[in-house]
Amino acid sequence: MRPSPEILAAARQNLTDLVAIPSVSARGEGLERCAQRVEELLSEAGFQTAQYPGGVGPFVVGEVGDGPFTLVIYNHYDVQPEDPVSLWTAPPFDLTERDGRLFGRGSADDKGEFVSRLAGWRAFRSQYQQPLPFKLIWIVEGEEEIGSPSLVRFLGERFPDTKADLCWWEFGEVDRSGRPIILMGFKGILAVELQCRTAKTDLHSSLGAIFDNPLWRLAAAVSSLRDASGRVLIDGFYEDVIAPNARSAKLAAWPPFALEDLQDETGGQRLLSGVDASSFYEHLNFEPCLNVNGFHGGYGGEGAKTVLPCYGSAKLDFRLAPGQRPVRIAELLRRQLDRNGFDDIEVKILDAEVLGVRSDPLNYSVEVGARLLEKWFGRPAVIQPSSAASGLAHPFVHKFGATLFGAGLTHHGAMLHSPDENILIEHFENMIGFSAEFFAALSEREIGVPRVSAND
Ligand SMILES: [Zn+2]
């Protein structure tokens, strides 16, 4: 089902129009206008639409069809701030074509993803005019780039009893060799700040002969939490980790790219002990980890300053496996610090909202998706059990019971959140073709197989 020139031209126009609306959630700007345009697009495409208030930007919901199978598509219309504008080759909110690419803020994240799917939907509907034999719920939010603060509440209120079979996640990736990736999971996250105060004000460093130092305290506390292999030394930390099932484990046993390539690309050289070319991909997929994001305190300016600082802080994040609950991990951290003799160190929770999820790759619609991605992108799809990063997918996976399906057009050099964000025109068109045939495949009878819930 190759999309017609009219469908492609309309998609390009839709993307131009959406990119032109600077819907920057961090500044609370352009969100109503963008939501309005998204709702119009869904409504013109045959969806029953409505808007619902969010904290900053409204939610747009489009619904159509009915049947034993329910697909939820999740996208967002807000974007990251465009600064620094001077580093953009062309104005960030003018969709600009260069070298086979379309540049503009939101061209990939997430307006390009949304528009390509919608154009695929139109191509599908131009051929398939019967009532849709499955239920499609399209949820487009305006607060993703500020951490989706209203999403869990909204889904709970608007969809108290909704169950779904598949959640087509807001983005998906195409790797550097052009292979489409299907993401089946995300890690959870807990972000905290450790704070230590040892005196009323900064003191003369000669007093270091008698008074302890908050940066020493923090350094000791932090280093008591992890060993050289990256293993977290908090009692009970691994207790609730759900191990990958045999199918996920098998997928991760064969890395789709070499550790060396990742090292070349990132310059990352020092591996944790126990991580090697054969195990790194399993670590990325499944291992929880503890990062120090920053240490702050004392004097960092030019030259020496012989000071004994009175205060220091360290920001940490934990990437968590399915099963681990961020709030519980924060409690265990507190307990461990006390046990290690650091009861003077405060733990401030910065983020404990995102739980890890991982869906079973053995799923008919994922199989169909993989086959169609291969057809449209010309390379076999890689099914990845879990991203190494985090995404707020648990309301869809745990509450709706949906299998996560992260497929999209975000390519290796997409410059997400950066100047010159872009997509490849070829991927945009492939994604339109893929979407059209994916919707068509979901309309076939055999897709309405009984719902199996196999999520971690
Ligand atoms: Zn983003």
Side-chain angles (χ1 to χ4, degrees):
M1 198 190 293
R2 191 149 284 284
S4 66
E6 294 74 38
I7 296 265
L8 294 179
R12 186 79 168 255
Q13 189 57 50
N14 292 160
L15 187 55
T16 303
D17 295 347
L18 286 181
V19 167
I21 304 172
S23 46
V24 180
S25 46
R27 300 197 296 257
E29 200 180 291
L31 299 173
E32 276 78 18
R33 194 145 69 89
C34 204
Q36 195 53 42
R37 186 69 196 120
V38 166
E39 186 180 2
E40 285 163 13
L41 288 172
L42 286 169
S43 167
E44 288 159 16
F47 288 79
Q48 289 279 4
T49 61
Q51 285 191 38
Y52 303 86
V56 187
F59 288 87
V60 183
V61 175
E63 290 179 274
V64 67
D66 204 6
F69 186 89
T70 299
L71 168 66
V72 173
I73 305 183
Y74 167 60
N75 283 109
H76 63 91
Y77 61 81
D78 62 322
V79 295
Q80 284 280 322
E82 68 281 21
D83 16 73
V85 177
S86 61
L87 295 184
W88 286 81
T89 308
F93 298 109
D94 290 348
L95 190 74
T96 314
E97 180 176 345
R98 284 195 310 278
D99 311 324
R101 298 182 185 203
L102 296 173
F103 290 82
R105 174 56 86 231
S107 57
D109 180 12
D110 189 41
K111 293 170 175 175
E113 300 278 14
F114 169 70
V115 166
S116 58
R117 296 169 187 188
L118 187 66
W121 167 261
R122 285 198 209 106
F124 159 64
R125 281 314 246 171
S126 68
Q127 312 263 312
Y128 186 98
Q129 280 134 6
Q130 298 105 282
L132 190 73
F134 64 93
K135 186 165 180 60
L136 171 50
I137 305 173
W138 205 323
I139 298 166
V140 192
E141 76 152 312
E143 304 175 347
E144 195 275 344
E145 300 293 3
I146 52 168
S148 302
S150 321
L151 184 62
V152 174
R153 171 195 59 78
F154 168 71
L155 293 176
E157 285 172 11
R158 173 64 181 76
F159 300 101
D161 305 311
T162 299
K163 293 290 166 203
D165 298 273
L166 197 69
C167 172
W168 190 351
W169 191 245
E170 45 117 347
F171 74 94
E173 295 162 347
V174 180
D175 76 6
R176 58 157 67 235
S177 67
R179 285 174 304 191
I181 312 277
I182 300 175
L183 273 182
M184 303 291 308
F186 285 105
K187 289 185 181 169
I189 192 163
L190 166 67
V192 298
E193 181 170 291
L194 304 186
Q195 302 172 331
C196 182
R197 177 173 288 282
T198 52
K200 274 193 273 189
T201 58
D202 286 356
L203 303 172
H204 195 279
S205 78
S206 61
L207 291 171
I210 58 164
F211 291 132
D212 209 339
N213 175 315
L215 300 181
W216 276 120
R217 297 286 300 153
L218 285 165
V222 167
S223 66
S224 75
L225 297 175
R226 202 200 76 172
D227 72 13
S229 73
R231 193 159 175 87
V232 176
L233 304 174
I234 294 176
D235 267 3
F237 181 79
Y238 293 94
E239 221 161 63
D240 297 325
V241 169
I242 298 172
N245 72 18
R247 290 177 288 275
S248 297
K250 198 170 159 198
L251 285 171
W254 302 100
F257 56 91
L259 174 58
E260 255 179 31
D261 292 344
L262 183 60
Q263 290 188 291
D264 285 349
E265 188 189 315
T266 56
Q269 291 306 323
R270 275 191 75 85
L271 294 167
L272 294 169
S273 70
V275 173
D276 59 25
S278 64
S279 67
F280 80 97
Y281 189 62
E282 290 163 321
H283 282 257
L284 284 175
N285 275 272
F286 304 134
E287 272 301 305
C289 63
L290 166 55
N291 289 293
V292 184
N293 310 122
F295 256 108
H296 296 276
Y299 180 70
E302 221 170 289
K305 181 184 179 191
T306 49
V307 66
L308 172 56
C310 63
Y311 177 80
S313 64
K315 287 191 197 271
L316 312 180
D317 79 54
F318 295 84
R319 297 278 169 179
L320 302 173
Q324 291 181 300
R325 284 164 299 129
V327 172
R328 168 79 180 145
I329 298 296
E331 287 167 15
L332 294 176
L333 167 67
R334 172 73 272 163
R335 220 179 281 172
Q336 191 66 43
L337 287 171
D338 292 347
R339 211 174 292 145
N340 294 357
F342 299 106
D343 56 359
D344 55 322
I345 291 181
E346 299 276 327
V347 177
K348 185 177 167 199
I349 297 180
L350 304 176
D351 183 0
E353 302 299 321
V354 179
L355 278 70
V357 297
R358 190 172 54 234
S359 293
D360 192 333
L362 182 72
N363 180 292
Y364 182 67
S365 36
V366 173
E367 226 174 88
V368 169
R371 184 164 46 73
L372 291 174
L373 283 168
E374 174 169 356
K375 175 183 164 186
W376 282 94
F377 285 79
R379 303 286 316 274
V382 174
I383 299 178
Q384 184 174 341
S386 174
S387 170
S390 306
L392 189 57
H394 67 87
F396 298 105
V397 174
H398 293 161
K399 187 182 160 314
F400 286 18
T403 288
L404 190 73
F405 178 72
L409 51 61
T410 299
H411 75 109
H412 188 72
M415 308 295 289
L416 299 190
H417 299 194
S418 305
D420 282 351
E421 177 181 346
N422 70 89
I423 55 173
L424 298 181
I425 294 171
E426 188 193 340
H427 289 168
F428 186 57
E429 296 185 353
N430 292 346
M431 210 54 216
I432 295 173
F434 164 79
S435 306
E437 290 195 350
F438 192 51
F439 291 126
L442 296 182
S443 306
E444 285 163 14
R445 289 207 73 76
E446 63 265 34
I447 203 78
V449 288
R451 179 176 291 119
V452 281
S453 180
N455 293 312
D456 296 342

